[in-house]
């Protein structure tokens, strides 16, 4: 089974930090580290994520339409502005795709294969692997089993959609830890 087990053995609730409650982790640096790992240090992504994390209020003002689509109408929650900004920036640059929970297999396959991580990790997707009567978590579980050392992961945005991206086994645990340290969740997509 090789590296597959490492994805399935991870703690399904990484949002619980082992840090003392009095210690407060800076939010922005973790968001930037997550962006680096997901985007393979894509310069355009990092420039935008840095702008978002360094000045969430101005980022919100410049991107109000995006936030309004997510029912965020004011910059009062800078952490939400940064977390959702991360997702929007990664999606704009082709590193993540946000899919409806009722996605059709053909659309799911198309979007996953067009993620930058798909090419970067040298992955392939045989349509015969996936059953169209299943759903996104089931399809992601099959792909993780088929791909040696890579998985379909997801960023939790407290929504009924899936923010999917592809990552290596080497980065998966770090992404979970970084998100958990700031009270958010990144996990294998089949567990979302």
């Amino acid at each position: 089974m090789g590296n597959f087990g490492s994805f399935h053995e991870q703690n399904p609730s990484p949002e619980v930090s082992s840090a003392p409650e009095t210690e407060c982790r800076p939010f922005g640096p973790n968001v930037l580290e997550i962006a680096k790992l997901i985007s393979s240090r894509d310069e355009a992504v990092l420039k935008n994520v840095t702008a978002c994390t360094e000045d969430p209020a101005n980022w919100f003002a410049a991107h109000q339409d995006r936030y309004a689509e997510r029912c965020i109408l004011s910059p009062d929650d800078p952490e939400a502005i940064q977390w959702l900004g991360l997702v929007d920036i990664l999606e704009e640059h082709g590193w993540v795709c946000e899919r409806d929970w009722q996605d059709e297999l053909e659309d799911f396959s198309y979007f996953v294969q067009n993620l930058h991580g798909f090419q970067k990790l040298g992955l392939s997707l045989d349509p015969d692997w996936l059953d169209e009567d299943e759903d996104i978590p089931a399809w992601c579980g099959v792909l993780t089993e088929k791909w040696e050392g890579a998985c379909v992961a997801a960023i939790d945005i407290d929504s009924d959609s899936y923010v999917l991206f592809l990552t290596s086994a080497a980065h998966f645990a770090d992404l979970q830890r970084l998100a958990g340290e700031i009270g958010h969740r990144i996990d294998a997509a089949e567990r979302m």
Side-chain angles (χ1 to χ4, degrees), residues 87-103:
V87 168
D88 288 340
I89 293 163
L90 289 168
E91 185 170 34
E92 179 182 319
H93 291 278
W95 292 99
V96 306
C97 60
E98 187 171 352
R99 307 303 307 148
D100 185 82
W101 70 276
Q102 295 177 326
D103 211 6

Side-chain angles (χ1 to χ4, degrees), residues 84-135:
L84 295 172
L86 168 70
V87 168
D88 288 340
I89 293 163
L90 289 168
E91 185 170 34
E92 179 182 319
H93 291 278
W95 292 99
V96 306
C97 60
E98 187 171 352
R99 307 303 307 148
D100 185 82
W101 70 276
Q102 295 177 326
D103 211 6
E104 298 290 328
L105 176 56
E106 183 178 346
D107 294 333
F108 168 82
S109 297
Y110 171 82
F111 281 96
V112 166
Q113 290 179 83
N114 282 286
L115 290 172
H116 291 315
F118 190 83
Q119 292 82 25
K120 192 124 184 107
L121 292 166
L123 302 173
S124 65
L125 194 159
D126 183 335
D128 292 335
W129 293 345
L130 306 176
D131 179 347
E132 68 181 55
D133 294 329
E134 293 288 348
D135 59 7

Side-chain angles (χ1 to χ4, degrees), residues 70 83-84 155-161 163 184-185 192:
R70 298 184 187 279
W83 191 247
L84 295 172
I155 300 171
D156 190 350
I157 59 168
D158 197 25
S159 158
D160 62 358
S161 65
V163 178
H184 284 275
R185 181 176 174 220
M192 293 302 244

